[in-house]
């Protein structure tokens, strides 16, 4: 029988990569926490309607990329392709905005999109993100952008570029939509098949097209169709970012791939990531989303960052932690030592450090070689004639310790290693 392979477009998190994964998630939770954002989590599957209405039926995500299936009662369910619609549903469904506003939440969740898998474009991927729900002020737009920016700075990732745009309000976009349709209609025959469809169902998406880049270049600008109020809102966001010392580039072609955005839209790009996968993350304001989902009008703004992409950049730049040993100390039984003795010692020593036990019937030198391979710092040899022996696996020094002093002896070794490390 051939061994079973993982589904296409998915990746396992293996132990060597886990420290970097943990580091990134811990840092995001810590920084979000320092800004008053609390953890939220939502189901991996939702009713299909949530995304059809929230993300928009004319978007690539809803049209082509959703994992949708009927449950046993024939209800249509979808694996979560993005986190904003579910989080808004969860927050407003629990009436959290009635206690205090805005509600600030952060999340780390797996997402599912049926896309063509390639490097850094997976069918299951992870995002860390925040949503700030329940009030409308340019300060909040700037707050979430600054939060993402500080997070990437604390990861010590260099070379992030913030692309910023305003999508205006619904009326601005209607005016702009008309201008786009007027510009593209005479060009219809020269457009790619996707764009001909976009022209009919979702003209804003025309700006995402790589095949018709020359047309995009000359297309009307959204910025020329913004109302005075929309311009002022955007100018205030820009001013707050300038105050915070966050560099940004105005990108009038940035429309984002989800329909719920209004006003501020942004993306974080990284030059080391190639082509269509150059976005580390993105977000924006979504003041109409709550209504689309059947709730009272409630403004919101947030971002999501791609975990795999962040980790790739962090690892390329040498700032992500590498593999870590599973334990600092290995207890190796030999001679007449019993498993019970080793387990008893392990139980006690775990008050001080991480411990694994090697119960195998192999010779002691084989066990020590294995302990080296684990990159453990110490081995405690149990069952030798001379008594308990504590061996430093880095220096190869070893000494006999009595049973009552083993905890202190291990503490001394840990202290010594920490001093050498900081020296
Ligand atoms: P998004 O731009 O669709 O936004 O996704 C955010 C990030 O998730 C992308 O920039 C990318 O880093 C990562 N990502 C997306 N698709 C894939 C994939 N197939 N493989 C690997 N990584 C991927 C959203 O999802 C919005 N919910 C963001 C938001 C939050 N807006 C407001 N609040």
């Amino acid at each position: 029988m051939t061994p079973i392979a993982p589904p296409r477009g998915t990746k396992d998190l293996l132990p060597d990569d886990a420290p970097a994964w943990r580091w990134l998630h811990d840092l995001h939770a810590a920084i979000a926490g320092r800004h008053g954002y609390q953890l939220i989590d939502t189901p991996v599957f939702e009713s299909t309607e949530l995304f059809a209405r929230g993300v928009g039926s004319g978007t690539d995500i809803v049209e082509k990329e959703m994992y949708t299936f009927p449950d046993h009662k024939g209800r249509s369910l979808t694996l979560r392709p993005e986190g904003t619609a579910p989080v808004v549903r969860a927050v407003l469904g629990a009436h959290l905005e009635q206690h205090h506003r805005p509600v600030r939440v952060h999340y780390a969740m797996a997402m599912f999109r049926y896309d063509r898998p390639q490097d850094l474009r997976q069918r299951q991927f992870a995002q860390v993100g925040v949503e700030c729900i329940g009030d409308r002020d340019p300060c909040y737009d700037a707050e979430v952008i600054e939060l993402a920016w500080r997070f990437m700075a604390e990861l010590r990732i260099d070379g992030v570029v913030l692309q910023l745009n305003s999508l205006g309000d619904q009326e601005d976009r209607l005016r702009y939509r008309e201008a786009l349709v007027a510009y593209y209609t005479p060009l219809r025959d020269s457009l790619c098949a996707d764009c001909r469809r976009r022209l009919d169902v979702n003209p804003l998406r025309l700006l995402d097209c790589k095949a018709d880049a020359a047309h995009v270049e000359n297309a009307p600008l959204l910025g020329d169709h913004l109302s005075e109020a929309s311009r002022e809102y955007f100018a205030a966001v820009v001013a707050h970012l300038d105050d915070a010392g966050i560099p940004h580039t105005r990108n009038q072609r940035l429309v984002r791939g989800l329909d719920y955005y209004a006003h501020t839209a942004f993306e974080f790009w990284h030059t080391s990531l190639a082509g269509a996968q150059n976005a580390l993350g993105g977000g924006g304001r979504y003041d109409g989303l709550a209504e689309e989902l059947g709730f009272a009008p409630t403004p919101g703004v947030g971002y999501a960052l791609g975990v795999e992409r962040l980790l790739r950049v962090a690892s390329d730049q040498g700032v992500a932690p590498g593999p870590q040993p599973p334990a600092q100390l290995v207890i190796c039984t030999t001679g007449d030592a019993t498993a019970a003795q080793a387990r008893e010692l392990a139980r006690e020593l775990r008050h001080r450090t991480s411990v694994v036990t090697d119960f195998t019937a192999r010779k002691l030198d084989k066990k020590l070689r294995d302990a080296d391979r684990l990159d453990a710092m110490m081995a405690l040899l149990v069952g030798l004639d001379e008594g308990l022996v504590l061996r430093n696996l880095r220096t190869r020094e070893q000494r006999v310790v009595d049973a009552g002093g083993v905890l202190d002896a291990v503490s001394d070794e840990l202290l010594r290693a920490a001093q050498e490390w900081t020296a």
Side-chain angles (χ1 to χ4, degrees), residues 122-329:
Q122 294 170 205
R123 289 182 173 167
Q124 178 177 338
F125 59 97
Q127 290 181 344
V128 288
V130 306
E131 310 296 347
C132 177
I133 300 166
D135 202 6
R136 183 173 184 277
D137 189 290
C139 285
Y140 300 121
D141 304 49
E143 175 178 296
V144 299
I145 294 174
E146 182 169 355
L147 173 42
W149 187 263
R150 302 272 170 243
F151 167 57
M152 290 184 279
E154 289 211 22
L155 289 178
R156 287 172 290 132
I157 286 180
D158 253 355
V160 180
V161 178
L162 168 59
Q163 303 276 316
L164 197 61
N165 197 18
S166 171
L167 302 181
D169 61 19
Q170 217 173 359
E171 280 173 23
D172 299 337
R173 281 195 305 286
L174 273 177
R175 267 199 305 279
Y176 181 55
R177 194 188 148 109
E178 279 167 23
L180 273 181
V181 171
Y183 165 80
Y184 271 101
T185 303
L187 303 170
R188 176 182 277 276
D189 291 345
S190 65
L191 297 178
C192 70
D194 258 354
C195 278
R196 281 202 294 273
R197 196 176 42 79
R198 287 172 176 145
L199 183 54
D200 297 327
V201 295
N202 199 344
L204 239 65
R205 284 283 93 64
L206 287 159
L207 302 180
D208 282 340
C209 187
K210 301 281 179 284
D212 289 326
H215 292 326
V216 175
E217 192 66 33
N218 299 315
L221 292 175
L222 181 55
D224 295 338
H225 296 79
L226 294 182
S227 66
E228 197 48 39
S230 298
R231 276 175 220 267
E232 275 172 21
Y233 192 94
F234 187 61
V237 175
V238 167
H240 293 322
L241 292 175
D242 288 341
D243 280 350
I246 295 171
H248 48 85
T249 305
R250 173 86 186 260
N251 179 347
Q252 296 243 32
R253 305 290 178 208
L254 187 78
V255 287
R256 309 268 303 128
L258 307 101
D259 274 356
Y260 48 59
Y261 292 113
H263 295 285
T264 317
F266 56 88
E267 275 181 0
F268 298 101
W269 290 0
H270 202 279
T271 41
S272 75
L273 300 177
Q277 275 70 256
N278 69 350
L280 282 173
R285 175 158 286 285
Y286 44 84
D287 292 348
L289 175 59
E291 274 166 285
E292 288 294 338
L293 303 182
F295 296 100
T298 316
V301 63
Y303 69 76
L305 301 168
V307 169
E308 290 79 5
R309 295 182 192 183
L310 285 170
L311 284 174
R312 169 70 60 82
V313 174
S315 133
D316 286 352
Q317 296 189 351
V319 294
Q324 308 265 308
Q328 302 272 43
L329 187 142

Side-chain angles (χ1 to χ4, degrees), residues 112-131:
F112 306 84
R113 295 185 192 174
Y114 190 82
D115 211 342
R116 195 164 60 81
Q118 44 195 303
D119 189 31
L120 296 179
R121 184 167 292 272
Q122 294 170 205
R123 289 182 173 167
Q124 178 177 338
F125 59 97
Q127 290 181 344
V128 288
V130 306
E131 310 296 347

